[in-house]
CSV table of all heavy atoms in Angstrom, one decimal:
chain,number,residue,atom,x,y,z
N,1,ILE,N,-85.4,-23.4,-14.4
N,1,ILE,CA,-85.6,-22.1,-14.1
N,1,ILE,C,-87.1,-21.6,-14.0
N,1,ILE,O,-87.7,-21.1,-13.1
N,1,ILE,CB,-84.9,-21.1,-15.0
N,1,ILE,CG1,-83.4,-21.4,-15.0
N,1,ILE,CG2,-85.1,-19.7,-14.6
N,1,ILE,CD1,-82.8,-21.2,-13.6
N,2,GLY,N,-87.8,-21.9,-15.2
N,2,GLY,CA,-89.2,-21.6,-15.3
N,2,GLY,C,-90.0,-22.8,-15.3
N,2,GLY,O,-89.8,-23.8,-16.0
N,3,LEU,N,-91.1,-22.8,-14.6
N,3,LEU,CA,-92.1,-23.9,-14.5
N,3,LEU,C,-93.3,-23.7,-15.5
N,3,LEU,O,-93.5,-22.6,-16.0
N,3,LEU,CB,-92.6,-24.1,-13.1
N,3,LEU,CG,-91.5,-24.5,-12.1
N,3,LEU,CD1,-92.0,-24.4,-10.7
N,3,LEU,CD2,-90.8,-25.8,-12.4
N,4,PRO,N,-94.1,-24.7,-15.7
N,4,PRO,CA,-95.3,-24.6,-16.7
N,4,PRO,C,-96.1,-23.4,-16.3
N,4,PRO,O,-96.5,-23.2,-15.1
N,4,PRO,CB,-96.0,-25.9,-16.4
N,4,PRO,CG,-94.9,-26.8,-16.1
N,4,PRO,CD,-94.0,-26.1,-15.2
N,5,GLY,N,-96.5,-22.5,-17.3
N,5,GLY,CA,-97.4,-21.4,-17.1
N,5,GLY,C,-96.7,-20.1,-16.6
N,5,GLY,O,-97.4,-19.1,-16.5
N,6,GLU,N,-95.4,-20.2,-16.3
N,6,GLU,CA,-94.8,-19.0,-15.7
N,6,GLU,C,-94.2,-18.2,-16.9
N,6,GLU,O,-94.0,-18.7,-18.1
N,6,GLU,CB,-93.6,-19.4,-14.8
N,6,GLU,CG,-94.1,-20.1,-13.6
N,6,GLU,CD,-93.0,-20.4,-12.5
N,6,GLU,OE1,-91.9,-20.5,-13.0
N,6,GLU,OE2,-93.3,-20.5,-11.3
N,7,THR,N,-93.8,-17.0,-16.5
N,7,THR,CA,-93.1,-16.0,-17.5
N,7,THR,C,-91.8,-15.7,-17.0
N,7,THR,O,-91.6,-15.3,-15.8
N,7,THR,CB,-93.9,-14.7,-17.7
N,7,THR,OG1,-95.2,-15.0,-18.2
N,7,THR,CG2,-93.2,-13.8,-18.6
N,8,VAL,N,-90.8,-16.0,-17.9
N,8,VAL,CA,-89.4,-15.9,-17.5
N,8,VAL,C,-88.8,-14.7,-18.3
N,8,VAL,O,-89.0,-14.6,-19.5
N,8,VAL,CB,-88.5,-17.1,-17.8
N,8,VAL,CG1,-87.1,-16.9,-17.5
N,8,VAL,CG2,-89.1,-18.3,-17.2
N,9,GLU,N,-88.0,-13.8,-17.6
N,9,GLU,CA,-87.4,-12.7,-18.4
N,9,GLU,C,-86.0,-12.4,-17.7
N,9,GLU,O,-85.9,-12.5,-16.5
N,9,GLU,CB,-88.2,-11.4,-18.2
N,9,GLU,CG,-87.7,-10.3,-19.0
N,9,GLU,CD,-88.7,-9.0,-19.1
N,9,GLU,OE1,-89.7,-9.1,-18.4
N,9,GLU,OE2,-88.5,-8.1,-19.8
N,10,ILE,N,-85.0,-12.2,-18.5
N,10,ILE,CA,-83.7,-11.8,-18.1
N,10,ILE,C,-83.4,-10.4,-18.5
N,10,ILE,O,-83.4,-10.0,-19.7
N,10,ILE,CB,-82.7,-12.8,-18.8
N,10,ILE,CG1,-82.9,-14.3,-18.4
N,10,ILE,CG2,-81.3,-12.4,-18.4
N,10,ILE,CD1,-83.7,-15.1,-19.5
N,11,LYS,N,-83.1,-9.6,-17.4
N,11,LYS,CA,-82.7,-8.2,-17.7
N,11,LYS,C,-81.9,-7.7,-16.5
N,11,LYS,O,-82.0,-8.3,-15.4
N,11,LYS,CB,-84.0,-7.3,-17.9
N,11,LYS,CG,-85.0,-7.4,-16.7
N,11,LYS,CD,-86.2,-6.6,-17.0
N,11,LYS,CE,-87.1,-6.6,-15.8
N,11,LYS,NZ,-88.4,-5.9,-16.1
N,12,GLU,N,-81.1,-6.7,-16.8
N,12,GLU,CA,-80.3,-6.1,-15.7
N,12,GLU,C,-79.4,-7.1,-15.0
N,12,GLU,O,-79.4,-7.1,-13.7
N,12,GLU,CB,-81.2,-5.3,-14.7
N,12,GLU,CG,-82.0,-4.2,-15.4
N,12,GLU,CD,-83.0,-3.5,-14.6
N,12,GLU,OE1,-83.1,-4.0,-13.4
N,12,GLU,OE2,-83.7,-2.7,-15.0
N,13,THR,N,-79.0,-8.2,-15.7
N,13,THR,CA,-78.1,-9.2,-15.2
N,13,THR,C,-78.8,-10.1,-14.3
N,13,THR,O,-78.1,-10.9,-13.5
N,13,THR,CB,-76.8,-8.7,-14.5
N,13,THR,OG1,-77.1,-8.1,-13.2
N,13,THR,CG2,-76.0,-7.7,-15.4
N,14,LYS,N,-80.2,-10.1,-14.2
N,14,LYS,CA,-80.9,-10.9,-13.3
N,14,LYS,C,-82.0,-11.6,-14.0
N,14,LYS,O,-82.5,-11.3,-15.1
N,14,LYS,CB,-81.5,-10.0,-12.1
N,14,LYS,CG,-80.5,-9.3,-11.3
N,14,LYS,CD,-79.5,-10.1,-10.6
N,14,LYS,CE,-78.5,-9.3,-9.9
N,14,LYS,NZ,-77.5,-10.2,-9.1
N,15,VAL,N,-82.6,-12.7,-13.3
N,15,VAL,CA,-83.7,-13.4,-13.9
N,15,VAL,C,-84.9,-13.1,-13.1
N,15,VAL,O,-84.9,-13.1,-11.8
N,15,VAL,CB,-83.5,-14.9,-13.8
N,15,VAL,CG1,-84.7,-15.8,-14.3
N,15,VAL,CG2,-82.2,-15.3,-14.6
N,16,PHE,N,-86.0,-12.9,-13.8
N,16,PHE,CA,-87.3,-12.5,-13.1
N,16,PHE,C,-88.4,-13.6,-13.5
N,16,PHE,O,-88.4,-14.0,-14.7
N,16,PHE,CB,-87.8,-11.1,-13.5
N,16,PHE,CG,-86.9,-10.1,-13.0
N,16,PHE,CD1,-85.7,-9.7,-13.7
N,16,PHE,CD2,-87.1,-9.4,-11.9
N,16,PHE,CE1,-84.9,-8.8,-13.3
N,16,PHE,CE2,-86.3,-8.4,-11.4
N,16,PHE,CZ,-85.2,-8.1,-12.1
N,17,ILE,N,-89.1,-14.1,-12.6
N,17,ILE,CA,-90.2,-15.1,-12.7
N,17,ILE,C,-91.5,-14.4,-12.4
N,17,ILE,O,-91.7,-13.9,-11.3
N,17,ILE,CB,-90.0,-16.4,-11.9
N,17,ILE,CG1,-88.7,-17.0,-12.1
N,17,ILE,CG2,-91.2,-17.4,-12.2
N,17,ILE,CD1,-88.5,-17.5,-13.5
N,18,ASN,N,-92.3,-14.2,-13.4
N,18,ASN,CA,-93.6,-13.5,-13.3
N,18,ASN,C,-93.3,-12.1,-12.7
N,18,ASN,O,-94.1,-11.7,-11.8
N,18,ASN,CB,-94.6,-14.3,-12.4
N,18,ASN,CG,-95.0,-15.6,-13.1
N,18,ASN,OD1,-95.0,-15.7,-14.2
N,18,ASN,ND2,-95.3,-16.6,-12.2
N,19,GLY,N,-92.3,-11.5,-13.1
N,19,GLY,CA,-92.0,-10.2,-12.7
N,19,GLY,C,-91.2,-10.1,-11.3
N,19,GLY,O,-90.8,-9.0,-10.9
N,20,GLU,N,-91.0,-11.2,-10.7
N,20,GLU,CA,-90.3,-11.2,-9.3
N,20,GLU,C,-88.9,-11.8,-9.5
N,20,GLU,O,-88.6,-12.7,-10.2
N,20,GLU,CB,-91.0,-12.0,-8.3
N,20,GLU,CG,-92.4,-11.4,-8.0
N,20,GLU,CD,-93.1,-12.1,-6.8
N,20,GLU,OE1,-92.4,-13.0,-6.2
N,20,GLU,OE2,-94.3,-11.9,-6.5
N,21,LEU,N,-87.9,-11.0,-8.8
N,21,LEU,CA,-86.5,-11.4,-8.9
N,21,LEU,C,-86.3,-12.8,-8.4
N,21,LEU,O,-86.8,-13.2,-7.3
N,21,LEU,CB,-85.7,-10.4,-8.1
N,21,LEU,CG,-84.2,-10.7,-8.1
N,21,LEU,CD1,-83.5,-10.6,-9.4
N,21,LEU,CD2,-83.4,-9.7,-7.0
N,22,LEU,N,-85.6,-13.6,-9.1
N,22,LEU,CA,-85.3,-15.0,-8.8
N,22,LEU,C,-84.0,-15.0,-8.0
N,22,LEU,O,-83.0,-14.6,-8.5
N,22,LEU,CB,-85.2,-15.9,-10.0
N,22,LEU,CG,-84.8,-17.4,-9.7
N,22,LEU,CD1,-85.9,-18.1,-8.8
N,22,LEU,CD2,-84.6,-18.1,-11.1
N,23,ASP,N,-84.0,-15.6,-6.8
N,23,ASP,CA,-82.8,-15.8,-6.0
N,23,ASP,C,-82.0,-17.0,-6.5
N,23,ASP,O,-82.5,-18.1,-6.6
N,23,ASP,CB,-83.1,-16.0,-4.5
N,23,ASP,CG,-81.9,-16.1,-3.7
N,23,ASP,OD1,-80.8,-15.6,-4.0
N,23,ASP,OD2,-81.9,-16.8,-2.6
N,24,GLU,N,-80.7,-16.8,-7.0
N,24,GLU,CA,-79.9,-17.9,-7.6
N,24,GLU,C,-78.5,-17.9,-6.9
N,24,GLU,O,-77.5,-17.4,-7.4
N,24,GLU,CB,-79.7,-17.6,-9.1
N,24,GLU,CG,-81.1,-17.6,-9.8
N,24,GLU,CD,-80.8,-17.6,-11.3
N,24,GLU,OE1,-80.6,-16.5,-11.8
N,24,GLU,OE2,-80.8,-18.7,-11.9
N,25,PRO,N,-78.4,-18.5,-5.7
N,25,PRO,CA,-77.2,-18.5,-4.9
N,25,PRO,C,-76.1,-19.5,-5.5
N,25,PRO,O,-75.0,-19.4,-5.1
N,25,PRO,CB,-77.6,-19.1,-3.5
N,25,PRO,CG,-78.9,-19.8,-3.9
N,25,PRO,CD,-79.6,-19.1,-5.0
N,26,TYR,N,-76.6,-20.3,-6.5
N,26,TYR,CA,-75.6,-21.2,-7.1
N,26,TYR,C,-74.8,-20.5,-8.3
N,26,TYR,O,-73.9,-21.2,-8.8
N,26,TYR,CB,-76.4,-22.4,-7.7
N,26,TYR,CG,-77.7,-22.0,-8.4
N,26,TYR,CD1,-77.7,-21.5,-9.7
N,26,TYR,CD2,-79.0,-22.1,-7.7
N,26,TYR,CE1,-79.0,-21.1,-10.2
N,26,TYR,CE2,-80.1,-21.7,-8.4
N,26,TYR,CZ,-80.2,-21.2,-9.6
N,26,TYR,OH,-81.3,-20.8,-10.2
N,27,LEU,N,-75.1,-19.4,-8.6
N,27,LEU,CA,-74.3,-18.6,-9.7
N,27,LEU,C,-73.1,-18.0,-9.2
N,27,LEU,O,-73.1,-17.5,-8.0
N,27,LEU,CB,-75.2,-17.6,-10.3
N,27,LEU,CG,-76.5,-18.1,-11.1
N,27,LEU,CD1,-77.1,-16.8,-11.8
N,27,LEU,CD2,-76.1,-19.1,-12.1
N,28,ALA,N,-72.0,-18.1,-10.1
N,28,ALA,CA,-70.8,-17.4,-9.8
N,28,ALA,C,-70.6,-16.1,-10.6
N,28,ALA,O,-69.7,-15.4,-10.3
N,28,ALA,CB,-69.6,-18.3,-10.0
N,29,VAL,N,-71.5,-16.0,-11.5
N,29,VAL,CA,-71.4,-14.8,-12.5
N,29,VAL,C,-72.8,-14.2,-12.7
N,29,VAL,O,-73.8,-14.9,-12.5
N,29,VAL,CB,-70.8,-15.1,-13.8
N,29,VAL,CG1,-69.4,-15.6,-13.7
N,29,VAL,CG2,-71.6,-16.2,-14.5
N,30,ASP,N,-72.9,-13.0,-13.1
N,30,ASP,CA,-74.2,-12.4,-13.4
N,30,ASP,C,-74.6,-12.9,-14.8
N,30,ASP,O,-73.8,-13.4,-15.6
N,30,ASP,CB,-74.0,-10.8,-13.6
N,30,ASP,CG,-73.8,-10.2,-12.2
N,30,ASP,OD1,-74.3,-10.8,-11.3
N,30,ASP,OD2,-73.1,-9.1,-12.1
N,31,THR,N,-75.9,-12.8,-15.1
N,31,THR,CA,-76.5,-13.2,-16.3
N,31,THR,C,-76.5,-12.0,-17.3
N,31,THR,O,-77.3,-11.1,-17.2
N,31,THR,CB,-77.9,-13.7,-16.2
N,31,THR,OG1,-77.9,-14.8,-15.2
N,31,THR,CG2,-78.5,-14.3,-17.4
N,32,LEU,N,-75.6,-12.0,-18.2
N,32,LEU,CA,-75.5,-11.0,-19.3
N,32,LEU,C,-76.6,-11.0,-20.2
N,32,LEU,O,-77.0,-12.1,-20.7
N,32,LEU,CB,-74.1,-10.9,-19.9
N,32,LEU,CG,-72.9,-10.8,-18.9
N,32,LEU,CD1,-71.6,-10.8,-19.6
N,32,LEU,CD2,-73.1,-9.6,-18.0
N,33,GLY,N,-76.9,-9.9,-20.9
N,33,GLY,CA,-77.9,-9.8,-21.9
N,33,GLY,C,-79.3,-9.7,-21.5
N,33,GLY,O,-79.6,-9.9,-20.4
N,34,ARG,N,-80.0,-9.4,-22.5
N,34,ARG,CA,-81.5,-9.3,-22.2
N,34,ARG,C,-82.3,-10.3,-23.0
N,34,ARG,O,-82.1,-10.5,-24.3
N,34,ARG,CB,-82.1,-7.9,-22.5
N,34,ARG,CG,-83.5,-7.7,-22.2
N,34,ARG,CD,-84.0,-6.3,-22.6
N,34,ARG,NE,-85.5,-6.2,-22.2
N,34,ARG,CZ,-85.9,-5.7,-21.1
N,34,ARG,NH1,-85.1,-5.2,-20.2
N,34,ARG,NH2,-87.3,-5.6,-20.9
N,35,TYR,N,-83.1,-11.1,-22.3
N,35,TYR,CA,-83.9,-12.2,-23.0
N,35,TYR,C,-85.4,-12.2,-22.6
N,35,TYR,O,-85.7,-12.0,-21.4
N,35,TYR,CB,-83.2,-13.6,-22.7
N,35,TYR,CG,-81.8,-13.7,-23.2
N,35,TYR,CD1,-80.8,-13.4,-22.3
N,35,TYR,CD2,-81.5,-14.2,-24.5
N,35,TYR,CE1,-79.5,-13.5,-22.7
N,35,TYR,CE2,-80.1,-14.2,-24.8
N,35,TYR,CZ,-79.1,-13.9,-24.0
N,35,TYR,OH,-77.8,-14.1,-24.4
N,36,GLY,N,-86.2,-12.6,-23.4
N,36,GLY,CA,-87.6,-12.7,-23.0
N,36,GLY,C,-88.4,-11.6,-23.2
N,36,GLY,O,-87.9,-10.6,-23.9
N,37,PRO,N,-89.6,-11.5,-22.7
N,37,PRO,CA,-90.2,-12.5,-21.8
N,37,PRO,C,-90.5,-13.9,-22.6
N,37,PRO,O,-90.9,-13.8,-23.7
N,37,PRO,CB,-91.4,-11.9,-21.2
N,37,PRO,CG,-91.8,-10.9,-22.3
N,37,PRO,CD,-90.6,-10.4,-22.9
N,38,TYR,N,-90.3,-14.9,-21.8
N,38,TYR,CA,-90.7,-16.3,-22.3
N,38,TYR,C,-91.8,-16.8,-21.6
N,38,TYR,O,-91.9,-16.7,-20.3
N,38,TYR,CB,-89.5,-17.3,-22.1
N,38,TYR,CG,-88.3,-16.9,-22.8
N,38,TYR,CD1,-87.2,-16.2,-22.1
N,38,TYR,CD2,-88.1,-17.3,-24.1
N,38,TYR,CE1,-86.0,-16.0,-22.8
N,38,TYR,CE2,-86.8,-17.0,-24.8
N,38,TYR,CZ,-85.8,-16.3,-24.1
N,38,TYR,OH,-84.6,-16.0,-24.7
N,39,HIS,N,-92.9,-17.2,-22.3
N,39,HIS,CA,-94.1,-17.7,-21.6
N,39,HIS,C,-94.0,-19.2,-21.7
N,39,HIS,O,-94.3,-19.8,-22.7
N,39,HIS,CB,-95.3,-17.1,-22.3
N,39,HIS,CG,-95.4,-15.7,-22.2
N,39,HIS,ND1,-95.7,-15.0,-21.0
N,39,HIS,CD2,-95.2,-14.8,-23.2
N,39,HIS,CE1,-95.6,-13.7,-21.3
N,39,HIS,NE2,-95.4,-13.5,-22.6
N,40,VAL,N,-93.8,-19.9,-20.6
N,40,VAL,CA,-93.6,-21.3,-20.5
N,40,VAL,C,-94.9,-22.1,-20.8
N,40,VAL,O,-95.8,-21.9,-20.0
N,40,VAL,CB,-92.9,-21.8,-19.3
N,40,VAL,CG1,-92.5,-23.3,-19.3
N,40,VAL,CG2,-91.7,-20.9,-19.0
N,41,PRO,N,-95.0,-22.9,-21.8
N,41,PRO,CA,-96.2,-23.6,-22.0
N,41,PRO,C,-96.5,-24.7,-21.0
N,41,PRO,O,-95.6,-25.2,-20.3
N,41,PRO,CB,-96.0,-24.3,-23.4
N,41,PRO,CG,-94.8,-23.7,-24.0
N,41,PRO,CD,-94.0,-23.2,-22.8
N,42,GLU,N,-97.8,-25.1,-20.8
N,42,GLU,CA,-98.1,-26.2,-19.9
N,42,GLU,C,-97.4,-27.4,-20.4
N,42,GLU,O,-97.2,-27.7,-21.6
N,42,GLU,CB,-99.6,-26.4,-19.9
N,42,GLU,CG,-100.4,-25.2,-19.2
N,42,GLU,CD,-100.0,-25.0,-17.7
N,42,GLU,OE1,-99.7,-26.1,-17.1
N,42,GLU,OE2,-100.0,-24.0,-17.3
N,43,GLY,N,-96.9,-28.2,-19.4
N,43,GLY,CA,-96.2,-29.5,-19.7
N,43,GLY,C,-94.8,-29.3,-20.1
N,43,GLY,O,-94.1,-30.2,-20.6
N,44,HIS,N,-94.2,-28.1,-20.0
N,44,HIS,CA,-92.8,-27.8,-20.3
N,44,HIS,C,-92.2,-27.0,-19.2
N,44,HIS,O,-92.7,-26.4,-18.3
N,44,HIS,CB,-92.8,-26.9,-21.6
N,44,HIS,CG,-93.3,-27.7,-22.7
N,44,HIS,ND1,-94.6,-27.8,-23.0
N,44,HIS,CD2,-92.7,-28.2,-23.9
N,44,HIS,CE1,-94.9,-28.6,-24.1
N,44,HIS,NE2,-93.7,-28.7,-24.7
N,45,ILE,N,-90.8,-26.9,-19.3
N,45,ILE,CA,-90.0,-26.1,-18.4
N,45,ILE,C,-89.0,-25.3,-19.1
N,45,ILE,O,-88.7,-25.6,-20.3
N,45,ILE,CB,-89.3,-27.0,-17.4
N,45,ILE,CG1,-88.4,-28.1,-18.0
N,45,ILE,CG2,-90.3,-27.6,-16.4
N,45,ILE,CD1,-87.6,-28.8,-17.0
């Protein structure tokens, strides 16, 4: 979902990468809960 250096946040049943909505056509359900923001370190995902 998140690549090195990016910020991931889950809110309003959606995932946002660096503040932009992530298109996830592979999902069958919404993402419940609020998580993040997560700042992905370099060399990690």
Side-chain angles (χ1 to χ4, degrees):
I1 301 298
L3 298 175
E6 294 183 335
T7 298
V8 180
E9 188 172 8
I10 298 98
K11 60 183 180 180
E12 301 172 357
T13 73
K14 302 297 180 184
V15 176
F16 295 83
I17 304 295
N18 295 335
E20 296 186 5
L21 178 64
L22 176 64
D23 182 27
E24 298 188 277
Y26 40 79
L27 293 183
V29 295
D30 290 332
T31 305
L32 301 180
R34 183 182 179 94
Y35 299 90
Y38 300 97
H39 302 287
V40 186
E42 290 297 328
H44 295 74
I45 55 173

